[in-house]
Amino acid sequence: MKTYPFSALLSRMKYITRWSLMRSTRAESLSEHTADTALLAHTLCLIGQECTATGKSLRPEVVATAALYHDAPEILTGDLPTPVKYKNDALRTAYKAVEHEGARVMASLQPAELQAETQAWLTGSLLNDAERKIVKAADRLSALIKCMEERQSGSHEFEAAEAQQLAALHEMHCPEAEYFIEHMLPCFAQNLDELTRGRF
């Protein structure tokens, strides 16, 4: 009987730890980051469509699904720290090639009928430019929120990373992300009682 290990491999995202060069108060798995990024990406699409009127070309369901796969090749490569990944063009290009090969290998673990579409999800090639920008913004927002949570837990380890992520988001000139930063991000500093008071 032929078996296809793609889904079992995806389930291993929970074993990949992010922020490997940082001392965290609570470890964050690739699974957590992936779910957060998908939810944020979906929200950014809705903001673009309904709040900022900048998201006519955005497909929320497609973007959210692509975000679920956006870091999946890291199951094979691990999470390469950002200072290394983006140190220079040569490293960035080499890492992109490694990611692309990881996506190809992972897609090959599906039935033949599913491989082309799986690879498209893994590489994000079915997204338009605006949608790719949304996934990147959601990815950065997820990282920013992690940095905020660490700082609020008393860790100073993530302060510089928090400032860098916020600056990088502003440099993207993404109206949907700017709306989120202004109207939604402050809520991440609130506890459960503050978030729900007067809502039920």
Side-chain angles (χ1 to χ4, degrees), residues 47-190:
I47 288 169
Q49 290 181 340
E50 305 298 335
C51 301
T52 62
T54 54
K56 290 181 173 44
S57 64
L58 300 175
R59 299 166 292 170
E61 295 80 6
V62 172
V63 171
T65 303
L68 286 171
Y69 289 94
H70 83 284
D71 275 343
E74 289 183 8
I75 297 165
L76 300 178
T77 66
D79 179 30
L80 190 66
T82 297
V84 177
K85 192 186 304 184
Y86 298 111
K87 182 172 177 58
N88 57 48
D89 287 341
L91 281 173
R92 188 180 300 112
T93 300
Y95 189 69
K96 285 291 179 193
V98 169
E99 284 184 319
H100 188 77
E101 178 62 11
R104 187 197 65 75
V105 169
M106 290 183 71
S108 75
L109 303 177
Q110 286 273 56
E113 299 86 348
L114 305 181
Q115 289 179 16
E117 185 167 352
T118 297
Q119 187 158 355
W121 286 116
L122 289 167
T123 60
S125 63
L126 41 63
L127 299 177
N128 61 44
D129 289 343
E131 291 169 337
R132 269 189 284 280
K133 187 173 185 178
I134 288 292
V135 172
K136 186 61 180 174
D139 186 42
R140 288 197 181 281
L141 279 171
S142 172
L144 175 61
I145 291 163
K146 169 63 175 171
C147 293
M148 291 171 58
E149 290 171 349
E150 287 290 329
R151 177 176 48 78
Q152 291 161 15
S153 295
S155 171
H156 299 289
E157 184 82 3
F158 284 74
E159 287 176 356
E162 180 179 348
Q164 290 165 0
Q165 291 295 337
L166 185 58
L169 276 160
H170 288 317
E171 288 169 9
M172 290 183 72
H173 303 292
C174 176
E176 299 86 358
E178 293 297 334
Y179 184 98
F180 188 97
I181 290 167
E182 181 178 356
H183 298 284
M184 299 176 177
L185 189 64
C187 300
F188 285 83
Q190 297 178 329

